[in-house]
Amino acid sequence: MIRILGVRVDEINMEDALAAVEKFIAAFHAGQKRLSQIVTINPEGIWLARGDSGLAQIIEEAALVTPDGNGVLWAAQQQGVTIPERVTGIDLTYRLAELAAQKGWSLYLLGAKEGIAKAAAAKLTEQYPGLIIKGVENGYFRDREQQVVEQIAAAAPDILLAALGMPFQEKWLFEHRDQLGCGVAIGVGGSFDVISGQVRRAPAFLRKLRLEWLWRLLSDPKRWRRYLVIPRFMRAVKKES
Ligand code: UDP
């Protein structure tokens, strides 16, 4: 584990993350009641947690904190730590769906606008035959929160994917960690929008060039404000190292 601007990040790659999930699900099947929360942290999240002690504490207590974003890899490198790859929410979702189909683990998709989780579930079951998706629910449920918690607990999925955006998803999962009745819960941000086909992900060559952020900015210029934290993040990391 390393700290970037005081915020915890685990030095893991995708295979480590998948192995950890398998361990968490085994504990769930053995009777563990509290879910294992996974946080996929990017520079924006680190920046938020730096000014939000509640969020920082959730990250401290998480079962796993994956390095999501090239900025995180860069910041680790400033400390002389090489993290080999990003472990993003969307990549984790696809890999877990594949593994879940093989191992018989069940999923629940919570988040995004009405109809998107359902469309994402359809795409995943088409791509990974045999995948069990126990339920879907949109991410705009503030007036019927308790009902949504009970619905998920009744389904008792092995993995709950929460695509509610950071930091809402982290806080919500943490707050309800004893009632959700699932094995593993992961905040996966805007993943359902991409999986459903609603939003196109950056092509692989751009991802290799570490330019996924630029693609996201150009596809949705309204997000420009979010990018203001990147130079600040980089300056603070430089200063720290
Ligand atoms: N969202 C939601 N409920 C909310 C707010 C947001 O389900 O109350 C969804 C939103 O529809 C989108 C996702 O959360 O699908 C956030 O995506 P974004 O790319 O902004 O999140 P990030 O990956 O940056 O955390």
Side-chain angles (χ1 to χ4, degrees):
M1 190 246 282
I2 59 164
R3 288 191 181 279
I4 298 172
L5 305 183
V7 178
R8 168 187 167 196
V9 180
D10 297 344
E11 296 165 57
I12 53 156
N13 62 18
M14 179 59 79
E15 293 307 319
D16 299 328
L18 297 175
V21 170
E22 181 152 21
K23 214 175 71 197
F24 301 150
I25 292 179
F28 175 56
H29 290 169
Q32 182 175 304
K33 290 280 175 288
R34 177 173 288 182
L35 59 80
S36 299
Q37 184 167 354
I38 300 182
V39 178
T40 57
I41 195 102
N42 60 15
E44 232 183 300
I46 291 177
W47 197 257
L48 274 177
R50 191 177 180 236
D52 179 342
S53 57
L55 178 61
Q57 191 56 34
I58 292 170
I59 295 169
E60 281 303 310
E61 291 184 31
L64 199 69
V65 183
T66 78
D68 178 345
N70 290 308
V72 175
L73 270 50
W74 171 84
Q77 200 65 61
Q78 301 306 302
Q79 302 178 20
V81 176
T82 304
I83 298 179
E85 61 181 351
R86 296 189 293 162
V87 181
T88 67
I90 183 149
D91 291 325
L92 197 55
T93 299
Y94 280 121
R95 292 297 302 273
L96 282 176
E98 183 185 11
L99 206 56
Q102 289 164 13
K103 302 208 178 252
W105 299 337
S106 60
L107 264 52
Y108 196 107
L109 272 52
L110 169 70
K113 296 200 177 107
E114 177 61 33
I116 300 282
K118 194 168 173 214
K123 292 267 186 197
L124 288 174
T125 42
E126 186 187 308
Q127 195 168 344
Y128 305 107
L131 179 65
I132 304 162
I133 297 188
K134 282 196 169 165
V136 297
E137 182 58 65
N138 75 62
Y140 299 83
F141 51 75
R142 281 178 180 78
D143 52 341
R144 53 191 173 91
E145 192 170 73
Q146 196 51 35
Q147 183 195 327
V148 169
V149 171
E150 283 165 19
Q151 201 174 292
I152 295 168
D158 293 311
I159 302 170
L160 170 62
L161 299 172
L164 306 167
M166 193 166 212
F168 176 43
Q169 59 199 16
E170 281 68 32
K171 294 188 170 179
W172 196 82
L173 292 174
F174 188 79
E175 188 185 336
H176 300 287
R177 66 196 186 284
D178 288 322
Q179 296 105 52
L180 282 165
C182 58
V184 178
I186 315 174
V188 295
S191 298
F192 299 169
D193 296 323
V194 175
I195 296 167
S196 65
Q198 186 78 9
V199 169
R200 224 187 114 201
R201 193 177 183 193
F205 80 95
L206 278 180
R207 302 208 297 266
K208 279 209 189 77
L209 288 172
R210 301 192 163 191
L211 289 175
E212 182 157 27
W213 64 272
L214 183 61
W215 173 271
R216 289 188 85 177
L217 177 60
L218 295 176
S219 342
D220 187 3
K222 289 196 300 295
R223 294 171 73 96
W224 69 272
R225 267 178 194 286
R226 295 175 166 224
Y227 293 86
L228 295 179
V229 311
I230 302 296
R232 288 185 203 144
F233 169 81
M234 290 177 78
R235 270 199 301 276
V237 168
K238 277 278 181 202
K239 206 166 143 200
E240 190 179 52
S241 64

